Amino acid sequence: MDEFLAYFDFVPKQPAVGYGLVVSWLMGVPFLLRTLASGGTSQTRAAAIAGLLLAVILAVTSLKKGNNLFVWHVIGMSTAVLAFQPAALHAIMASKGFSSLEPRLQKVFDHKMLQIATVTALWAGFFAIFLNKPQEFPGVHFQSVHALVGLGALLLFTYNLLDAAYRQGANPIKPKLTWISVIHRNAGLLAYFLGFFAVILGLYNRVAVVDWRKWPLEFTLPAGWKDMGGWGTKTHGQDATVVYIAISGLVLIMMLSSTRPVIEESRKKE
């Protein structure tokens, strides 16, 4: 068993982070490819493909700078937010474009598996950055706007996954895949927005606004809080980082502004 796991010890110091990412990739990639192959609007498909490509670019360019826990935080969060989550939204939106039950259920199942992969990658990315810092708590954790927004997205994504598990029923063999919940839908959209907002903030700069070790707590905006800098600029350069931020914003907007797909049967008649 140890020899087998050694093949996946690509994350330094904390190989379990790598195990989590491998699980998320094995769960997510097949359904990502399947859901992008059919159904939905060209707008959501283009947005999902753009997010996937950006996630790959960030992973490759970050690893070129070195292999450390921080880089795997970036890869985990990019996998979840940029690659899997847009594809998951594409899948559930595409399900509205079928009048027959079978293709609708397939898209809903794709959405389900992609959401599980998303949350798995998110937690792997979370532990990568949490374990990369001094272990005392709260210590230097959750001080920046990026960290606070990202934590909110992580918890909301996790809540929504557990909510879906509850709503689909107690039988894991025959889950109820067709159900409607305004709360679940809106919580998912908010989590999606917060996830992308956290990615954009992480690329733009790092601004610490609170120190949890001091009492009473005081939230402040330091001088230069609007200036671009930090990891994104140091790793990719300012020009490339601006492009990555623009692509992230575009993927976010394209997904949230997409219209309902035309019913497949109606399209065939036309």
Side-chain angles (χ1 to χ4, degrees), residues 68-120:
N68 54 61
L69 277 173
F70 184 86
V71 166
W72 288 103
H73 164 70
V74 173
I75 293 174
M77 295 309 187
S78 298
T79 296
V81 177
L82 297 174
F84 290 159
Q85 192 52 210
L89 256 68
H90 171 77
I92 200 64
M93 291 177 179
S95 70
K96 311 300 181 184
F98 298 98
S99 59
S100 54
L101 184 61
E102 184 176 349
R104 287 185 63 192
L105 288 179
Q106 183 186 89
K107 290 299 181 184
V108 172
F109 186 72
D110 290 348
H111 173 78
K112 171 184 173 180
M113 296 305 297
L114 284 163
Q115 292 292 63
I116 296 173
T118 292
V119 173
T120 304

Side-chain angles (χ1 to χ4, degrees), residues 79-237:
T79 296
V81 177
L82 297 174
F84 290 159
Q85 192 52 210
L89 256 68
H90 171 77
I92 200 64
M93 291 177 179
S95 70
K96 311 300 181 184
F98 298 98
S99 59
S100 54
L101 184 61
E102 184 176 349
R104 287 185 63 192
L105 288 179
Q106 183 186 89
K107 290 299 181 184
V108 172
F109 186 72
D110 290 348
H111 173 78
K112 171 184 173 180
M113 296 305 297
L114 284 163
Q115 292 292 63
I116 296 173
T118 292
V119 173
T120 304
L122 282 173
W123 279 104
F126 169 80
F127 280 113
I129 194 63
F130 189 86
L131 296 172
N132 189 50
K133 295 181 178 181
Q135 297 304 299
E136 66 269 14
F137 186 84
V140 296
H141 301 286
F142 315 120
Q143 292 185 338
S144 67
V145 179
H146 161 70
L148 294 173
V149 173
L151 179 63
L154 172 65
L155 296 177
L156 198 51
F157 272 123
T158 304
Y159 157 77
N160 230 28
L161 182 64
L162 296 174
D163 175 63
Y166 171 78
R167 292 178 185 277
Q168 73 176 14
N171 188 345
I173 305 300
K174 293 183 178 180
K176 181 182 178 183
L177 294 176
T178 53
W179 47 268
I180 298 174
S181 169
V182 174
I183 294 176
H184 179 83
R185 182 176 67 247
N186 290 332
L189 291 174
L190 179 57
Y192 176 78
F193 173 80
L194 290 178
F196 267 83
F197 191 32
V199 167
I200 291 170
L201 287 171
L203 286 167
Y204 188 77
N205 66 11
R206 182 188 182 280
V207 178
V209 295
V210 63
D211 188 344
W212 301 102
R213 297 168 295 184
K214 294 182 179 179
W215 192 261
L217 291 177
E218 183 178 353
F219 289 83
T220 60
L221 282 177
W225 65 272
K226 294 185 294 184
D227 299 337
M228 188 174 180
W231 167 81
T233 302
K234 291 178 181 177
T235 304
H236 308 289

